[in-house]
Amino acid sequence: MAATRRRWDPLPLTRYGRQVTPLVFGCTALWYGALRDQPVRIVLVRDPSGRRRDEAFFCTDLTVDHAFILTGYARRWTIAVAFHDHKQFLGFEDPQNQTPGAVARTAPMAGIVYDLVLLWYAARLQHGHATGWLVRPWYRSKSTPSFLDMLTAVRQESWRLHFSDPPSPAPVVDKPPASWPDALLATA
């Protein structure tokens, strides 16, 4: 109710790499159910064109301005997407771990695999070996690959290298290799 009686102010800022000027309304309030008696800063955002629904953003730091809260949330979004991809595509969501050591290694291993896929894809782009993605009707204006597109490219390249290319011939050996005790005695 308070938002309808107050003035919405335009706030030019960069969100998700684009210059936008949403209408914002901010206030400080108590969120008793979540934080009891600690006040929070609330920023309501309205699209002036009316195409997007109103959104609310919360912050416990009462000294920051509206732009800081909104751009901070936009920067945080890439981290949320990375965790989503870890869970959805790399098995981090429901690992079948029992021992403390396995539990401690699961998250770092998912992160390493995620980073290796990104680095492999970046190296391919740098060397001019761009890989595409399947064009889907719901992504008509897609301009960058998703993590799943990159992971699919890694899988396809791995399949091509290990299963589709003819295997190289085995090296010709003149004599059978020595057993390991003979090899140790020959070097002594």
Side-chain angles (χ1 to χ4, degrees), residues 143-172:
S143 60
T144 57
S146 66
F147 178 73
L148 183 57
D149 295 327
M150 295 178 205
L151 186 60
T152 301
V154 168
R155 289 174 178 159
Q156 289 173 341
E157 183 68 13
S158 177
W159 182 265
R160 188 188 66 74
L161 287 174
H162 297 292
F163 299 109
S164 296
D165 286 347
S168 58
V172 177

Side-chain angles (χ1 to χ4, degrees), residues 81-97:
V81 170
F83 278 115
H84 168 270
D85 293 344
H86 280 76
K87 293 175 182 178
Q88 190 72 25
F89 306 120
L90 299 178
F92 183 52
E93 181 176 21
D94 194 19
Q96 302 296 313
N97 297 339

Side-chain angles (χ1 to χ4, degrees), residues 43-107:
V43 179
L44 299 172
V45 179
R46 178 169 284 170
D47 182 6
S49 67
R51 288 185 297 226
R52 296 179 57 130
R53 61 184 170 89
D54 292 352
E55 294 181 288
F57 299 90
F58 304 89
C59 183
T60 55
D61 187 352
L62 304 178
T63 63
V64 297
D65 63 355
H66 303 337
F68 181 83
I69 294 170
L70 297 176
T71 56
Y73 179 82
R75 284 191 309 266
R76 183 193 142 279
W77 185 250
T78 56
I79 297 168
V81 170
F83 278 115
H84 168 270
D85 293 344
H86 280 76
K87 293 175 182 178
Q88 190 72 25
F89 306 120
L90 299 178
F92 183 52
E93 181 176 21
D94 194 19
Q96 302 296 313
N97 297 339
Q98 300 294 324
T99 64
V103 171
R105 289 187 295 266
T106 300

